[in-house]
Amino acid sequence: MDADIHSPMKGILLKVLSVVVFLCMSTSIKAAGSDIATGQITFYRSAFAMVPILGYLAFRGQLRDAFKTTDIAGHLGRGFVGILAMSSGFYGLVHLPLPEAIAIGYAMPLLAVAFAAFFLGEVVRLYRWSAVIIGLVGVLIITWPRLTLFEQGGFGETEALGAAAVLLSATFGATAMVLVRKLVQTERTHTIVLYFSLSASVFSLATLPFGWATMSWTSFLLLMVAGFCGGVAQILLTESYRHADMSTIAPFEYTSIVLGIVIGYFLFGDVPTATMLAGTAIVVGAGIFIIFRERRLGLERKGARKHMTPQG
């Protein structure tokens, strides 16, 4: 463990900076326009993210080692699921108000808890199951006005499809988190980050024959900025974990909804509804409860190990 683990304020600052830069990425993608194919958006997001990531690894002297892996199939599987999550998330992002897209995306860590229990055999007790269920109710409250399934036109409406796409993205994203938990048992963090960007670029490039839009220079530059911001944000996020425990910095992810509301209002004229705010409050509350519950369980496990005999 690095000595810098005792610098929680630095970790929190880096986490908040990563949230801001990720929001710059999302804003750039949304501003680029809704007529650009999601596979095209995903390619630029992944390819241009490689620039800061490769530079960062070279600076740390980790570039050569980052390419060494014993589980290329695992990286490809994580990349494929990750690209599905990104593509569906970007579709929802360009067809929904920015704050709603962010808030619905908060379903991902809730689903990850459930998936970890089902697929990894992790023990999830009543408190966390209750938080997951309550949080998903909050997501339902946010999405219900969009998913007008029983009205004429219903699911064919653009915003309804956008909401469904973000929910699908959260599902794929939670699956990717499960795959990453398996990868970290044998692979280094920088190797996982590098191979995800590489595989995502290749997989998304395969959508080229299905029709990419002819972009203006403005849209091209916006997507280039989005990709670069995505890479920088990933670096900032990785560095934040070097300076503080995950349970310390994770709650600051929810600063994105405040910033998202401000950006959405001033740049895109998105006005949050009472339903959206109420649902978001429920989701955020459930998410923070899970984070602090994980922290408490972690401290209890650490204390139990400390008091074990050598034979224990």
Side-chain angles (χ1 to χ4, degrees), residues 42 113 148 183 220 224 273 284:
T42 306
V113 173
T148 50
L183 280 172
F220 172 76
M224 185 175 69
T273 63
V284 170

Side-chain angles (χ1 to χ4, degrees), residues 3 10 12 26 43 46 51 55 67 79 127 135 157 184-185 192 199 202 215 273 275 290 307:
K10 190 172 183 178
I12 290 169
S26 299
F43 171 76
S46 304
V51 177
F67 285 94
Y127 286 116
E157 296 295 332
V184 295
Q185 297 174 12
I192 296 171
S199 58
V202 173
M215 294 189 296
T273 63
T275 302
I290 289 175
H307 290 92

Side-chain angles (χ1 to χ4, degrees), residues 73-94:
H75 287 292
L76 291 176
R78 183 265 188 272
F80 183 71
V81 174
I83 205 70
L84 293 176
M86 287 175 64
S87 297
S88 51
F90 291 157
Y91 179 89
L93 177 64
V94 298

Side-chain angles (χ1 to χ4, degrees), residues 110 155 253 305:
L110 300 174
F155 235 95
E253 174 67 30
R305 286 195 298 269

